Amino acid sequence: MSVPQSSGLSGGGVFDLTRTAVVMADRAGVAQGWTEGAERLLGYAVSEAVGRPLADLFTGVDPQSAQDTRWQARLAAADGWSGLEAVRHKDGHRLDLEFRVLPVLDAEQRSARLVLAAEMAQTPWSGASRSFLDGILGMSPIGVAMVNADLRFVWINDALERMGGVRREDRLGKRLGDVQPSLAVEAIEAEMRRVLRTGVPSVGYEYLGRPQSDPQREHAYSTSFFRLEDGSGQVLGVCYMVLDVTDSYRSRQRMTLLNRAGERIGSSLDVWHTAQELSDAAVPDLADFVTVDLLDALLSGEEPSAGPVDATALFTMRRAGQQSVREGCPEALVAVGDRASYPPSAPVVRSLTEGNSTLLQTLDLADGEWAAEDPVQAAHLRELGFHSLMVVPLRARGVFLGAAAFARWQHTGPFQPDDLVLAEEFVTRAAMAIDNARRYTREHTAALTLQHSLLPRDLPDQCAVDAAYRYLPADSLSGVGGDWFDVIPLSGARVALVVGDVVGHGVHAAATMGRLRAAVQALADLPLSPEEVLAHLDDMVNRVADDTNADTADTADTGVVGATCLYAVYDPVACSCTLARAGHPAPLLVSPAGTAELLELPTGPPLGLGGMPFESVEVPLPEGSLLALYTNGLLMGKALDLDGGIARLRTALADPQAPLESLCDTVVGGLPGARPVDDVALLLARTRALPHTQLATWEIPADPSAVGEARRAASARLAEWDLAELEFSTELIVSELVTNALRHASGPIGLRMIRARALICEVSDASSTSPHLRHARTTDEGGRGLFLIARYAQRWGTRYTAQGKIIWAELSLRAAPVSPAANELSALATDLGDPSAFSTADEQ
């Protein structure tokens, strides 16, 4: 802190400032300012003094004196301190100094101390006149005033006169409200009365106001008050010191607004919601009215072009958000969701085409090109009193998404450049959130579409179980998952029930789910047990993971690495179910009587680990049993409470005979929260038992004549089932299958016919050799059996059992037209007297 030589106090007056040390210190006793007078008096240069404790600079003559403690006490005194002390010059000689410590506020609003020191021999402090203090206070950048007990001005310094814009002679004898009515007069005078009454100083009291020196701009002030008393303790009034802290106040305000905007903007992955959050965050602290307009290409799902936008694409945009200090946004001519049209000269269009922000501190709505091209909008805004405007483009990753406009109509003054900086910070955060939202929405929609296209729309017809399902997509923040389910009809009236869950979310999970579902359907048609199906799926997931990781090796996406699956096969003839699982939750079985239990199944590893075996378990399921298969999203919820999820499921399925659709609704309705955090797949299956009247079995003796007996028995059973129109094709299939077993198989041979949704013919034997279809030459006497079966049957195939194999064929219950080739073969067989005499069986 320097002392101007023009103060009139240097030279031959009663007090020579050139030999006076003027030091600014904080309350900790560390020097913050050091004048030339201090350097001449004590010998320390500014670079040596600033930052050092006063106890080091004013070293006492007595080395045992507790300098640190004494200076801390002097600086801590609320009303200051004065006294005499002998100290050492830098070169060691003694100086007898008189000190005076005055409390002030520094530029950073901290309570500081002004320390004055001079040699008593040259300038005795006791003789210092009031003119000295007037000189010091006159040079101070801090406004200082004194008011009497009636709070009327009796003295002010030059800084306060300049700060307020009111002359000294116009203040004296008047109260604050008489000279500065735009300040928070009532609150300030209430604070001064409190100081007068209690004697407790008030430090750092802040308030806002518009001084006469700058009535168009709101200023912030930090003020300290302390009571004035005479020597007898009589209260004289209040002295207060004022510091204009507008810049630091606005900096703090901007930081507060930015923090608040960071908390409010981007709270969801929704473009419209984020645009409205930007509008809400800027009103009323930054602007009186805010609009956010987005490009149609962005809202329609297209990829906006990089760089400044072509003007032809900006004549119409879409209003995505708006907010006003006036209720109902009367400034807006369009509603959120509607198109917002702008002429080419509009600030919004110019800002987007030029790619820069626009600041119009004074908005001319009477003249100009914009007002001429859009007179309706200009007249509307002029009527509402708008006087200042900012437009900031929304830009993220080099792509322009739209623009935000900020307007003022209240008497808060025009926008300043630092307001534009703040608005750009707001818009940058919103633009990143909007871009993330649109990218997420695009990927989420694609994944959801892919997922829905891969999931079954309707359950297939089959006679083994009654089934119902529910599928709930995850919460939007989690993304689309890879849960799936399936009901697959199998041979022998059996059915496969499948539920699976791919690790992860998004397109990769949905695509992997589609692969796995297709693979399960293909494997189900093969003669494989449940544990063998899971083993093949495990190999497939390993291959998919390797391919995915190779494709994404240079990106942050590591792909899908695994899945869980439960595969069950139910046989309505034996009323039994064979199940195996790969890391999947165990199913819940509810007996016809209502007893619920988790099936104890071997816990196989999740798909994708490789090298670990899977095991299957066969359990009896009486008719009317309810089997619940599900993914872990049904159990976990947001609370991640597995036991609680099982308890909810037990309660929801307490009535196993209720309609399955109602049970599904009850299970889903009991989920905690509005939406699950993970996809939920639920498959309920109530078992049926095939009636004995729809089943016929025979043991076939190892005698060629048994072929005819098998045909006649099959024909008789068809007559009982009222399926006479299938007699010819059934006899032919039975004849070929039995003949093939007699010629090429071993062990006991059995024939079984099942009347379900199709007519099923099965021949079992003890051989494990599988037949194969081949084309016989014209001169061959055999080799046409399976060829004929393939022509007549809807499906046919082989499955293996612990005792051997079963060859089966299914015929539609509606008779199919007989092909010419089959007619020729059957006629030839009839000419020979017995179809079995003309062997068409294939070798095994």
Side-chain angles (χ1 to χ4, degrees):
M1 175 172 139
S2 62
V3 180
Q5 299 302 311
S6 60
S7 65
L9 298 175
S10 60
V14 294
F15 192 50
D16 186 1
L17 287 179
T18 62
R19 295 291 296 173
T20 301
V22 182
V23 181
M24 182 67 73
D26 60 21
R27 296 195 65 174
V30 177
Q32 303 296 326
W34 190 262
T35 64
E36 293 178 0
E39 182 177 351
R40 281 190 289 270
L41 181 62
L42 294 167
Y44 295 99
V46 175
S47 59
E48 297 175 299
V50 172
R52 292 179 63 182
L54 294 184
D56 292 344
L57 300 172
F58 299 117
T59 305
V61 174
D62 182 4
Q64 302 301 320
S65 62
Q67 286 288 92
D68 287 334
T69 303
R70 292 215 300 265
W71 273 107
Q72 288 174 2
R74 295 164 183 171
L75 296 170
D79 297 329
W81 173 84
S82 62
L84 307 175
E85 185 164 351
V87 300
R88 294 288 186 187
H89 187 275
K90 180 182 179 182
D91 61 11
H93 75 267
R94 174 176 175 148
L95 294 172
D96 293 314
L97 302 180
E98 184 170 2
F99 289 87
R100 183 163 295 183
V101 178
L102 302 175
V104 294
L105 293 178
D106 67 10
E108 298 297 330
Q109 311 163 57
R110 296 168 300 188
S111 179
R113 295 295 183 267
L114 185 67
V115 180
L116 306 176
E119 287 189 90
M120 291 186 294
Q122 297 185 18
T123 309
W125 281 93
S126 58
S129 66
R130 180 175 174 176
S131 62
F132 167 70
L133 292 179
D134 286 343
I136 293 293
L137 296 175
M139 292 179 291
S140 171
I142 301 173
V144 183
M146 298 181 188
V147 296
N148 61 19
D150 293 330
L151 304 185
R152 296 184 181 276
F153 288 101
V154 296
W155 182 87
I156 67 170
N157 72 341
D158 296 343
L160 186 61
E161 184 179 17
R162 294 190 300 270
M163 191 182 300
V166 180
R167 296 185 306 169
R168 180 180 286 104
E169 53 267 28
D170 294 333
R171 279 182 181 257
L172 297 179
K174 298 179 182 179
R175 295 176 59 167
L176 181 62
D178 298 330
V179 295
Q180 296 285 5
S182 62
L183 299 182
V185 176
E186 293 184 4
I188 296 172
E189 289 190 344
E191 188 68 9
M192 287 193 286
R193 289 192 186 95
R194 187 191 66 78
V195 173
L196 273 174
R197 185 178 67 255
T198 64
V200 178
S202 175
V203 178
Y205 177 81
E206 289 192 352
Y207 56 90
L208 302 176
R210 298 175 185 276
Q212 297 295 332
S213 59
D214 188 10
Q216 299 301 317
R217 186 185 181 202
E218 191 172 56
H219 287 245
Y221 299 98
S222 177
T223 305
S224 296
F225 305 91
F226 59 92
R227 191 167 69 183
L228 296 174
E229 300 175 359
D230 61 13
S232 63
Q234 179 70 29
V235 176
L236 302 177
V238 173
C239 177
Y240 70 84
M241 301 179 181
V242 184
L243 188 65
D244 190 326
V245 294
T246 302
D247 292 338
S248 60
Y249 172 80
R250 293 191 180 279
S251 297
R252 297 198 311 269
Q253 188 182 42
R254 285 194 294 270
M255 186 60 65
T256 301
L257 288 176
L258 278 176
N259 291 337
R260 189 184 309 164
E263 295 172 356
R264 298 176 62 180
I265 298 175
S267 63
S268 69
L269 289 172
D270 181 85
V271 171
W272 297 89
H273 188 68
T274 303
Q276 187 59 47
E277 287 176 335
L278 170 59
S279 304
D280 295 341
V283 175
D285 296 309
L286 179 60
D288 300 326
F289 177 57
V290 175
T291 62
V292 180
D293 298 319
L294 299 179
L295 300 178
D296 276 339
L298 168 70
L299 297 174
S300 62
E302 300 176 14
E303 183 69 24
S305 58
V309 186
D310 185 2
T312 58
L314 297 175
F315 295 153
T316 58
M317 293 192 290
R318 188 80 63 176
R319 180 63 49 83
Q322 58 189 17
Q323 187 56 272
S324 170
V325 293
R326 294 182 172 108
E327 186 176 357
C329 283
E331 302 92 336
L333 295 179
V334 297
V336 173
D338 293 344
R339 292 184 180 275
S341 301
Y342 296 99
S345 60
V348 168
V349 176
R350 293 176 57 187
S351 182
L352 282 171
T353 54
E354 296 173 4
N356 299 313
S357 300
T358 299
L359 172 61
L360 300 177
Q361 291 182 295
T362 302
L363 184 61
D364 184 5
L365 293 170
D367 299 317
E369 187 179 1
W370 177 31
E373 291 183 350
D374 194 355
V376 175
Q377 175 79 352
H380 180 66
L381 297 180
R382 186 168 57 249
E383 179 183 354
L384 292 171
F386 282 96
H387 60 78
S388 192
L389 177 71
M390 298 186 297
V391 178
V392 181
L394 277 89
R395 176 171 47 195
R397 301 181 178 93
V399 175
F400 282 80
L401 310 173
F406 304 80
R408 280 182 180 173
W409 61 268
Q410 297 189 99
H411 299 297
T412 53
F415 287 118
Q416 302 297 322
D418 55 352
D419 292 321
L420 181 61
V421 173
L422 181 61
E424 289 175 336
E425 288 286 345
F426 274 44
V427 172
T428 297
R429 299 187 183 203
M432 292 302 298
I434 288 174
D435 189 57
N436 290 337
R438 76 173 182 88
R439 289 169 177 265
Y440 168 79
T441 300
R442 183 176 59 186
E443 180 175 341
H444 185 265
T445 301
L448 197 60
T449 302
L450 175 62
Q451 185 185 48
H452 286 174
S453 67
L454 296 174
L455 288 171
R457 298 183 180 179
D458 297 304
L459 297 180
D461 290 337
Q462 42 79 36
C463 61
V465 296
D466 294 319
Y469 68 90
R470 290 291 185 274
Y471 178 80
L472 274 70
D475 181 85
S476 60
L477 292 177
S478 300
V480 175
D483 294 19
W484 91 94
F485 62 92
D486 231 329
V487 176
I488 307 172
L490 302 178
S491 63
R494 299 170 306 143
V495 66
L497 307 172
V498 190
V499 172
D501 184 0
V502 175
V503 174
H505 294 87
V507 175
H508 285 303
T512 303
M513 176 269 286
R515 286 182 172 183
L516 289 176
R517 180 170 179 251
V520 169
Q521 290 178 333
L523 293 171
D525 283 336
L526 300 177
L528 300 174
S529 61
E531 68 271 18
E532 292 175 316
V533 170
L534 294 182
H536 285 285
L537 288 178
D538 184 53
D539 293 338
M540 175 188 168
V541 171
N542 279 317
R543 290 193 297 271
V544 170
D546 292 341
D547 294 343
T548 303
N549 291 332
D551 293 339
T552 60
D554 298 329
T555 69
D557 189 353
T558 58
V560 178
V561 297
T564 66
C565 183
L566 174 65
Y567 188 88
V569 176
Y570 173 69
D571 187 347
V573 177
C575 290
S576 65
C577 185
T578 305
L579 309 93
R581 60 173 175 156
H584 202 81
L588 184 70
L589 174 63
V590 184
S591 70
T595 303
E597 63 173 336
L598 286 176
L599 289 180
E600 295 294 334
L601 304 180
T603 306
L607 301 175
L609 294 184
M612 302 289 289
F614 300 96
E615 299 180 53
S616 62
V617 172
E618 183 175 353
V619 295
L621 294 185
E623 184 177 12
S625 299
L626 182 63
L627 196 61
L629 288 73
Y630 46 86
T631 55
N632 58 8
L634 183 72
L635 302 180
M636 306 302 279
K638 293 185 178 180
L640 302 177
D641 183 8
L642 180 61
D643 294 335
I646 294 295
R648 287 195 307 271
L649 186 58
R650 290 177 186 269
T651 302
L653 301 179
D655 182 8
Q657 303 308 319
L660 292 181
E661 293 294 333
S662 298
L663 290 176
C664 285
D665 292 338
T666 302
V667 172
V668 171
L671 290 173
R675 297 183 72 89
V677 295
D678 195 5
D679 284 16
V680 171
L682 170 67
L683 179 61
L684 297 182
R686 181 176 289 135
T687 61
R688 297 174 180 170
L690 194 70
H692 294 294
T693 56
Q694 294 179 226
L695 177 68
T697 59
W698 299 273
E699 292 186 4
I700 306 299
D703 187 341
S705 64
V707 176
E709 290 296 330
R711 286 202 308 272
R712 286 188 288 273
S715 297
R717 186 51 59 98
L718 290 177
E720 295 179 14
W721 288 345
D722 196 21
L723 296 176
E725 67 274 12
L726 299 180
E727 181 178 353
F728 176 78
S729 55
T730 303
E731 285 188 352
L732 182 61
I733 289 175
V734 168
S735 177
E736 296 303 333
L737 292 179
V738 172
T739 301
N740 198 48
L742 289 173
R743 288 188 175 181
H744 304 290
S746 61
I749 299 173
L751 171 64
R752 185 170 75 168
M753 293 176 59
I754 303 172
R755 187 187 189 282
R757 295 187 181 275
L759 179 64
I760 304 171
C761 299
E762 297 180 342
V763 173
S764 60
D765 59 54
S767 172
S768 60
T769 305
S770 175
H772 60 276
L773 183 67
R774 64 185 180 90
H775 293 276
R777 295 188 296 273
T778 307
T779 56
D780 289 345
E781 294 185 0
R784 300 177 178 84
L786 293 183
F787 179 77
L788 286 177
I789 292 174
R791 286 296 188 92
Y792 277 94
Q794 282 184 318
R795 300 192 307 158
W796 73 278
T798 304
R799 70 175 183 270
Y800 296 96
T801 67
Q803 294 77 30
K805 70 174 183 296
I806 296 175
I807 304 176
W808 55 271
E810 291 185 4
L811 292 87
S812 172
L813 297 183
R814 293 174 296 179
V818 180
S819 65
N823 279 332
E824 294 176 5
L825 289 173
S826 61
L828 179 57
T830 303
D831 291 341
L832 295 174
D834 185 348
S836 65
F838 182 75
S839 173
T840 59
D842 294 276
E843 293 187 8
Q844 300 189 58

